[in-house]
Amino acid sequence: MNAFDIVKTVRLTEKGTRQAEKFNQYTVVADRLATKTQIRQAVQELFKVKVLSVNTLTRKGKTKAFRGIRGRQQDVKKAIVRLAEGDKIDVTTRI
């Protein structure tokens, strides 16, 4: 897998913005099969930053109904990436 396969997008939420300002942490949506080491290397390669730590969690997919047809959303792996002092991820650029 290359870096673009591992890191899907940077999640931009109100809570994530506060984390970025206060703790220099960013939330990244990652491939479900990616490990913490692979996520660390992918973020460092894509954004040219130094990653100090990676915490991951998997949000289980929900069962939803759309126009009367029941379906299930996919599981999503999120990674909270803490960067070194002075490093930033520009969230306005898309990957």
Side-chain angles (χ1 to χ4, degrees):
M1 276 195 265
N2 64 13
F4 288 104
D5 291 336
I6 294 172
V7 175
K8 306 287 187 199
T9 184
V10 177
R11 179 75 44 98
L12 187 61
T13 61
E14 195 172 327
K15 181 179 178 180
T17 305
R18 278 187 270 124
Q19 276 183 313
E21 292 170 355
K22 197 169 185 179
F23 303 112
N24 207 20
Q25 294 177 338
Y26 295 87
T27 304
V28 174
V29 177
D31 185 71
R32 287 182 295 172
L33 302 177
T35 63
K36 289 183 180 186
T37 307
Q38 291 172 334
I39 295 169
R40 173 191 305 260
Q41 291 169 351
V43 170
Q44 288 179 351
E45 180 183 330
L46 289 174
F47 299 107
K48 308 293 189 258
V49 294
K50 172 116 176 80
V51 176
L52 297 179
S53 65
V54 177
N55 295 330
T56 60
L57 62 104
T58 303
R59 184 189 63 83
K60 298 296 180 187
K62 301 175 184 178
T63 303
K64 293 277 191 167
F66 179 70
R67 294 187 179 179
I69 300 171
R70 298 185 66 71
R72 183 167 170 82
Q73 294 176 340
Q74 290 185 346
D75 297 345
V76 176
K77 184 175 227 177
K78 294 194 294 186
I80 299 171
V81 179
R82 188 167 143 243
L83 304 181
E85 193 68 34
D87 285 342
K88 277 189 160 182
I89 293 177
D90 186 16
V91 294
T92 59
T93 61
R94 297 280 186 206
I95 58 170

